[in-house]
Amino acid sequence: MGIPVETFFLKQGVQGTLQARIQQMIAEGILSGRFHVGEKLPSSRRLAAHLGVSRITVTLAYTELLANDYLTSRGRSGYFVSENAPIPPSYTPAQRDQETVDWSRAIARKFTGGDTLQKPADWRSYRYPFIYGQADPTLFDHANWRLCAVRALGQKDFASLTADYVDQDDPLLIEFIARHTLPRRGISARPEEILITLGAQNALWLAARVLLNRRRKAAIEDPCYYALRELLIQSRCSLVPLRVDLDGLPPEAIPDDTDVIFTTPSHQSPTTATMPIARRHALLERAREIDATIVEDDYEFELAFLGAPSPALKSFDQDGRVIYVGSFSKSLFPGLRLGYMVGSEPFIREARALRSLVLRHPPGHIQRTAAYFLSLGHYDAQIRRMSSVLLQRRQEIERAIARHGLTIAGRGAYGGSSLWMKAPTGVDCGALAMSLRSESVHIEPGTTFFSGSDRPTNYYRLGYSSIPTDRIAPGIERIARAIERHAD
Amino acid sequence: MGIPVETFFLKQGVQGTLQARIQQMIAEGILSGRFHVGEKLPSSRRLAAHLGVSRITVTLAYTELLANDYLTSRGRSGYFVSENAPIPPSYTPAQRDQETVDWSRAIARKFTGGDTLQKPADWRSYRYPFIYGQADPTLFDHANWRLCAVRALGQKDFASLTADYVDQDDPLLIEFIARHTLPRRGISARPEEILITLGAQNALWLAARVLLNRRRKAAIEDPCYYALRELLIQSRCSLVPLRVDLDGLPPEAIPDDTDVIFTTPSHQSPTTATMPIARRHALLERAREIDATIVEDDYEFELAFLGAPSPALKSFDQDGRVIYVGSFSKSLFPGLRLGYMVGSEPFIREARALRSLVLRHPPGHIQRTAAYFLSLGHYDAQIRRMSSVLLQRRQEIERAIARHGLTIAGRGAYGGSSLWMKAPTGVDCGALAMSLRSESVHIEPGTTFFSGSDRPTNYYRLGYSSIPTDRIAPGIERIARAIERHAD
């Protein structure tokens, strides 16, 4: 591809003749790696007109660069970056002169420094990746997703692809979620009670911003999804972590002055505990008593291969106090960034206005592609395929764990894609994970999920959604051996 | 497509026999519009297993529904929703029982009620749509965008499509922006100085959150993009609107205690004024003097068909105090939701952490598609095609305006896609726009762009990016006649 003439500017305040400055400008483009071998330069006529210099000046500069082997010419077809030019392997712009802004003062709010989980970018190169929440290419229905994407790119859908929806959503996707997805969870909702979000993370963030401020109190599960805790810390509300038990969040532990309760009844994150129906009713009753709202993160409900999942908490909600968060990240793929929230109209109206300020709306093409994938039945087929494979992997991982005497601290009653594990007291799972890397095993240390200063370090999470079934047993064996070494 | 068995739940606390409850559940699904004509019901065996009832109970319920013409059976292939079933045209879930939550109390922060521009969703049906910022299907290179999207959906790109990037971006897109897009604006930046955003709106929002709080002051242009003003009001900083002149923002008007200056030097929004180079230097000097940062929104720089655009303010920035915001919304299409920001590393690090909390990252597939479209040269070709058409439209609209004696209050020196217009004092352009609707003419009233309580009402914006060239003259004629009527 040609180098666009618009990328050439003569720097102000530089010494030298016009010709020398043009030569230097081109040489700098080459030396910094900005121009690649074989790329074509603008014609001398075009460059001269663009820079407002005479054509002979540009021609002389080109001739000089030709002599220095920065450029080659191919007869009448023009000038190209030479194969012999000294080009670095990647583009590295010159460092700016000393910057004078004091960023420690200029930055009004800090967002770095919170808890994050280190997911290795190269996890695909691990032989035993017990990673959580990444897509398995062997399970994804690539061909049909592609067909749906192409269909959503068709002329007929041009408007839905390209339009500025301002604060609206793709009506096709909303209709499908209302008619098919939510009924699976026992939920009925009108379109004005549904908002499409950029994944569940975005839904949780929107809910926190609308429902919380400095004077409000939020109850969270402990342990919980660390990114939820981080965004609540940023909202500056006061935060009460409540230790979960084998049935999830205990309603009686919720303080009287709580305004918002964040909970994961289907699969507690990260322990995978399933909240029994009776406790769901008790939780709603407790919320009514203290007039709190509830944000229900119903992630992974689709991966129910051990039994039918319980209806969502939201399905029992007569008062309208539950805000329901769903996501396609686990069942389709996380890079999709598509989720949704369901709540009473006054709440959704504020969340929609906030979303509009922050990002307007999720991209139209992605919404339409998902709508097709869902409505043509590919999604259901995909879930069935994933479920049958995850069932095999779950059985395999439980067998291997039993064989090596490892301790399961939590497992989803009707499925899921991970197990919550406990190592012997004294084992630091951060160090354990680090040392397992050298054996090409990836596990997730559990410490960051806990709140407070005295966090347990002997928990870890084993995802089984991205590891081939036949790698599970040898992977677990390596983990067991490593735990023995670390327990010494 | 079949109705998934998972969408059936027996409601608790409902009167009647099991058979009657199953019948009612299915009838309700049909009556609410949730099930469509021809959709297949689960087999009696599957539904019975799912609900935990005997198969004969389900069979009896189906038989009864068959007799009532809610269902039909097709021999051995099962039960389907009957063509004669009383199905409403759209799905309308039952209204919930009286909700008891007091949302006026539960909502901690309000986001509705701000200034927005009413863009009619049906603008494509207008004969004379002088609308701003929407895509024109006749100008977009649909075929090549589609090819790039399909390529980005290929097996080779599976990881970039599906992966959870956590807080990272598509390296291919970042590299292209650094090597090709930014040099067009005279800017050089390293990858760690660039962040991909969900459109320019998202970039402006991130910058405001990082740089402002209650104790800080922001200077904005007056008039300015109303959504920028709204997001700054939400950040609770103090806000100083500065009246722009024909050269854009006057640097000497910026108060000494300003922390952040928001400006649009290339095309002032909405007046389209172009800031001369000398004033750009003066603006940087003023910012240095008072130690303020600058957020430069460089929207529409690509649409330069009347002359080469000036280098961006950021290109003169030695101190690192300019944060540059770019977008592909105007040159590709707004529904894409893809923009970027460039700034010093400490700033980008905070913005990245905030973006990660709010939405993680823009969808991988869209980033990769744009990277291909850009790097294969389609983007440049698209800009050239758009520019030549916009040049024709610009000439046509200026001719028509001159013929009818309308007043241009601002026009971009090197291009753009809109004109800023002034009606005679006393004409209310809100009412004008409303009455023009009946003639199928869409114009944008200018009042919402102004700050303060005493806003001028006699300005309007004419977009020419989505109106066919031959409709411009008759459209302008209608506007001129309407202004005459309103000026009486």
Side-chain angles (χ1 to χ4, degrees):
Chain A
M1 126 177 218
I3 302 166
V5 72
E6 295 86 358
T7 64
F8 293 91
F9 294 97
L10 278 177
K11 277 190 198 146
Q12 306 285 326
V14 174
Q15 298 296 312
T17 64
L18 271 177
Q19 183 199 322
R21 284 162 65 193
I22 293 169
Q23 264 172 252
Q24 196 194 333
M25 173 175 72
I26 294 168
E28 275 178 10
I30 292 173
L31 290 167
S32 70
R34 192 153 75 77
F35 306 154
H36 288 185
V37 166
E39 287 183 335
K40 188 180 178 183
L41 278 96
S43 72
S44 56
R45 195 182 45 74
R46 284 206 69 192
L47 185 55
H50 173 73
L51 297 175
V53 303
S54 78
R55 189 169 170 191
I56 184 74
T57 309
V58 175
T59 307
L60 286 172
Y62 278 5
T63 312
E64 194 68 26
L65 288 161
L66 208 60
N68 297 338
D69 226 357
Y70 277 70
L71 301 181
T72 56
S73 82
R74 299 190 195 148
R76 313 200 67 176
S77 66
Y79 292 89
F80 299 82
V81 178
S82 163
E83 277 185 33
N84 305 316
I87 292 181
S90 66
Y91 173 45
T92 45
Q95 284 280 354
R96 227 177 306 286
D97 308 346
Q98 201 55 45
E99 297 200 342
T100 57
V101 175
D102 175 6
W103 285 105
S104 65
R105 201 204 69 82
I107 288 166
R109 291 191 184 94
K110 294 272 290 181
F111 298 95
T112 52
D115 276 319
T116 53
L117 204 61
Q118 296 305 323
K119 299 213 190 225
D122 65 338
W123 67 267
R124 281 180 189 75
S125 68
Y126 279 64
R127 202 165 159 78
Y128 311 102
F130 292 98
I131 197 164
Y132 178 79
Q134 296 283 358
D136 184 338
T138 63
L139 295 184
F140 183 63
D141 181 359
H142 208 87
N144 278 314
W145 181 262
R146 203 166 150 147
L147 283 176
C148 291
V150 169
R151 182 169 163 193
L153 286 165
Q155 287 294 349
K156 196 171 77 63
D157 285 318
F158 185 82
S160 74
L161 166 68
T162 61
D164 182 352
Y165 279 125
V166 191
D167 63 354
Q168 295 302 303
D169 294 308
D170 183 357
L172 230 64
L173 182 58
I174 291 282
E175 197 252 348
F176 191 89
I177 290 172
R179 210 164 70 79
H180 277 262
T181 312
L182 295 175
R184 285 179 179 242
R185 310 300 296 127
I187 300 169
S188 72
R190 289 168 290 120
E192 54 274 30
E193 295 173 321
I194 305 173
L195 183 72
I196 306 291
T197 61
L198 234 87
Q201 171 92 19
N202 187 224
L204 293 171
W205 183 86
L206 290 168
R209 284 291 293 173
V210 170
L211 297 175
L212 292 166
N213 60 24
R214 281 160 205 261
R215 291 172 302 283
R216 305 244 166 152
K217 181 175 276 185
I220 55 170
E221 297 169 339
D222 184 25
C224 78
Y225 176 45
Y226 50 89
L228 170 66
R229 197 177 54 232
E230 283 306 313
L231 69 87
L232 291 173
I233 289 171
Q234 286 295 346
S235 84
R236 309 205 179 177
C237 66
S238 61
L239 208 54
V240 196
L242 304 171
R243 191 52 65 104
V244 299
D245 59 28
L246 290 172
D247 289 339
L249 183 70
E252 64 282 5
I254 300 167
D256 285 348
D257 58 347
T258 303
D259 296 290
V260 189
I261 302 157
F262 288 84
T263 183
T264 48
S266 296
H267 288 95
Q268 203 277 328
S269 170
T271 68
T272 74
T274 303
M275 189 182 288
I277 299 282
R279 186 178 278 194
R280 293 181 194 219
H281 284 290
L283 177 58
L284 278 172
E285 191 44 49
R286 177 70 185 139
R288 185 177 301 127
E289 213 172 271
I290 61 175
D291 198 19
T293 51
I294 298 176
V295 178
E296 174 185 24
D297 182 358
D298 195 36
Y299 78 106
E300 280 200 342
F301 75 83
E302 307 93 331
L303 306 182
F305 44 81
L306 296 173
S310 322
L313 190 65
K314 176 75 183 158
S315 74
F316 305 125
D317 171 30
Q318 298 299 324
D319 303 348
R321 69 178 68 251
V322 177
I323 289 146
Y324 174 89
V325 173
S327 166
F328 297 114
S329 293
K330 296 293 177 292
S331 44
L332 289 171
F333 49 83
L336 181 64
R337 312 300 318 127
L338 217 50
Y340 48 94
M341 63 203 295
V342 179
S344 292
E345 217 180 319
F347 167 81
I348 291 292
R349 209 182 295 129
E350 295 302 324
R352 184 181 298 282
L354 174 58
R355 189 195 68 178
S356 172
L357 276 181
V358 173
L359 58 84
R360 291 207 173 189
H361 59 80
H365 176 238
I366 288 190
Q367 294 192 58
R368 184 53 58 96
T369 303
Y372 284 148
F373 194 80
L374 290 161
S375 62
L376 294 172
H378 301 313
Y379 181 72
D380 291 338
Q382 160 96 9
I383 297 291
R384 278 195 298 276
R385 197 169 38 251
M386 281 177 77
S387 292
S388 87
V389 173
L390 287 177
L391 172 60
Q392 283 170 26
R393 291 186 186 167
R394 169 73 170 262
Q395 289 167 341
E396 179 72 7
I397 198 168
E398 294 217 24
R399 268 195 301 269
I401 283 169
R403 195 155 54 235
H404 293 284
L406 300 183
T407 309
I408 297 179
R411 64 188 119 193
Y414 50 86
S417 65
S418 66
L419 295 174
W420 181 239
M421 304 292 296
K422 186 176 185 176
T425 315
V427 172
D428 176 351
C429 290
L432 178 73
M434 194 61 82
S435 80
L436 277 164
R437 278 197 201 181
S438 62
E439 299 185 66
S440 208
V441 181
H442 174 77
I443 65 166
E444 298 188 346
T447 309
T448 47
F449 293 98
F450 289 95
S451 296
S453 52
D454 195 25
R455 314 182 190 193
T457 57
N458 60 326
Y459 287 88
Y460 60 105
R461 179 161 70 172
L462 292 179
Y464 50 87
S465 58
S466 296
I467 184 168
T469 311
D470 59 358
R471 300 270 174 84
I472 288 177
I476 294 294
E477 194 190 332
R478 280 164 177 78
I479 295 169
R481 280 204 311 258
I483 287 178
E484 269 173 37
R485 285 196 305 273
H486 281 259
D488 290 345
Chain B
M1 136 178 211
I3 301 166
V5 72
E6 295 86 358
T7 63
F8 293 91
F9 293 97
L10 278 178
K11 277 192 199 144
Q12 306 286 325
V14 175
Q15 297 295 313
T17 62
L18 270 176
Q19 183 199 322
R21 284 163 66 193
I22 292 169
Q23 263 172 250
Q24 195 193 336
M25 173 175 73
I26 294 169
E28 275 178 9
I30 292 174
L31 289 168
S32 69
R34 193 153 74 76
F35 305 154
H36 288 185
V37 166
E39 286 183 335
K40 188 180 176 184
L41 277 96
S43 71
S44 56
R45 194 183 44 76
R46 284 207 67 192
L47 185 55
H50 172 74
L51 297 175
V53 302
S54 78
R55 190 170 169 189
I56 185 73
T57 308
V58 175
T59 307
L60 285 172
Y62 278 5
T63 311
E64 193 68 24
L65 288 161
L66 207 62
N68 298 338
D69 225 358
Y70 277 72
L71 302 182
T72 56
S73 81
R74 300 191 196 147
R76 311 201 69 175
S77 65
Y79 292 89
F80 299 82
V81 177
S82 163
E83 277 185 32
N84 304 317
I87 291 179
S90 66
Y91 173 46
T92 44
Q95 284 280 355
R96 224 178 306 286
D97 306 348
Q98 201 57 44
E99 295 199 346
T100 57
V101 175
D102 174 7
W103 284 104
S104 65
R105 199 204 71 82
I107 288 168
R109 290 191 184 94
K110 292 273 289 181
F111 298 95
T112 51
D115 275 319
T116 53
L117 204 61
Q118 296 303 326
K119 300 215 189 223
D122 64 339
W123 66 267
R124 281 180 189 75
S125 69
Y126 280 65
R127 201 166 160 77
Y128 310 103
F130 292 100
I131 196 163
Y132 177 79
Q134 296 282 359
D136 182 339
T138 63
L139 294 184
F140 182 63
D141 181 359
H142 208 88
N144 278 314
W145 180 262
R146 200 165 152 148
L147 284 176
C148 291
V150 169
R151 184 170 160 192
L153 287 165
Q155 287 294 351
K156 196 170 76 64
D157 285 318
F158 184 82
S160 73
L161 166 68
T162 60
D164 182 352
Y165 279 125
V166 190
D167 64 353
Q168 295 301 302
D169 296 309
D170 183 358
L172 231 65
L173 182 58
I174 292 281
E175 198 253 346
F176 192 89
I177 289 173
R179 210 163 72 77
H180 277 262
T181 312
L182 295 175
R184 286 179 178 241
R185 311 299 296 126
I187 300 169
S188 72
R190 288 169 289 120
E192 53 274 30
E193 296 172 320
I194 305 172
L195 183 72
I196 307 291
T197 61
L198 234 88
Q201 171 93 19
N202 187 226
L204 293 171
W205 183 85
L206 290 168
R209 284 292 293 173
V210 170
L211 297 175
L212 292 165
N213 59 26
R214 280 160 205 261
R215 290 172 304 283
R216 305 245 167 154
K217 181 177 275 184
I220 55 169
E221 298 169 339
D222 183 26
C224 79
Y225 175 45
Y226 50 88
L228 170 66
R229 197 178 51 234
E230 283 306 313
L231 69 87
L232 290 173
I233 289 171
Q234 287 294 346
S235 84
R236 309 206 179 176
C237 65
S238 61
L239 208 53
V240 195
L242 302 172
R243 191 52 66 104
V244 299
D245 58 29
L246 290 172
D247 289 339
L249 182 69
E252 63 281 5
I254 299 167
D256 285 348
D257 59 347
T258 305
D259 296 290
V260 189
I261 302 157
F262 287 84
T263 183
T264 48
S266 296
H267 288 94
Q268 202 277 329
S269 170
T271 70
T272 76
T274 304
M275 189 182 287
I277 299 281
R279 185 177 278 194
R280 292 181 194 218
H281 285 290
L283 177 57
L284 278 173
E285 190 46 47
R286 178 69 184 139
R288 186 177 301 127
E289 217 170 84
I290 61 174
D291 198 18
T293 51
I294 298 176
V295 178
E296 174 186 23
D297 182 357
D298 195 36
Y299 77 105
E300 278 199 344
F301 75 84
E302 307 92 332
L303 306 181
F305 44 81
L306 297 172
S310 322
L313 190 64
K314 176 74 183 160
S315 74
F316 305 127
D317 171 30
Q318 298 298 324
D319 303 349
R321 70 177 68 250
V322 177
I323 289 146
Y324 174 90
V325 173
S327 166
F328 297 113
S329 293
K330 296 294 176 291
S331 45
L332 290 172
F333 49 82
L336 182 63
R337 311 299 320 127
L338 215 51
Y340 47 95
M341 62 203 296
V342 179
S344 293
E345 219 181 315
F347 167 80
I348 291 292
R349 209 181 297 130
E350 295 303 323
R352 184 182 298 282
L354 174 56
R355 189 195 67 178
S356 172
L357 275 180
V358 173
L359 58 84
R360 292 208 171 188
H361 59 81
H365 176 237
I366 287 190
Q367 294 192 57
R368 184 52 59 95
T369 303
Y372 285 148
F373 194 80
L374 291 161
S375 62
L376 294 173
H378 301 314
Y379 181 73
D380 292 338
Q382 160 98 9
I383 297 292
R384 279 196 297 278
R385 196 168 40 251
M386 281 177 77
S387 293
S388 87
V389 174
L390 287 177
L391 172 60
Q392 284 171 27
R393 291 185 187 167
R394 170 73 170 262
Q395 289 166 340
E396 179 73 6
I397 198 169
E398 293 218 24
R399 268 196 301 270
I401 284 169
R403 194 157 54 237
H404 293 285
L406 300 182
T407 308
I408 297 180
R411 65 187 118 193
Y414 51 85
S417 64
S418 65
L419 296 173
W420 181 240
M421 304 293 296
K422 187 177 183 175
T425 316
V427 172
D428 176 349
C429 290
L432 178 72
M434 194 61 83
S435 80
L436 277 165
R437 279 197 200 181
S438 62
E439 299 185 65
S440 208
V441 181
H442 174 77
I443 65 167
E444 297 187 349
T447 308
T448 47
F449 293 98
F450 289 96
S451 295
S453 53
D454 194 26
R455 315 182 188 192
T457 57
N458 61 326
Y459 287 88
Y460 60 105
R461 180 160 72 170
L462 292 180
Y464 50 87
S465 58
S466 296
I467 184 168
T469 311
D470 59 358
R471 299 270 173 85
I472 289 177
I476 294 294
E477 195 190 330
R478 281 164 176 76
I479 295 169
R481 279 204 310 258
I483 287 178
E484 268 172 38
R485 285 196 305 274
H486 280 258
D488 290 344

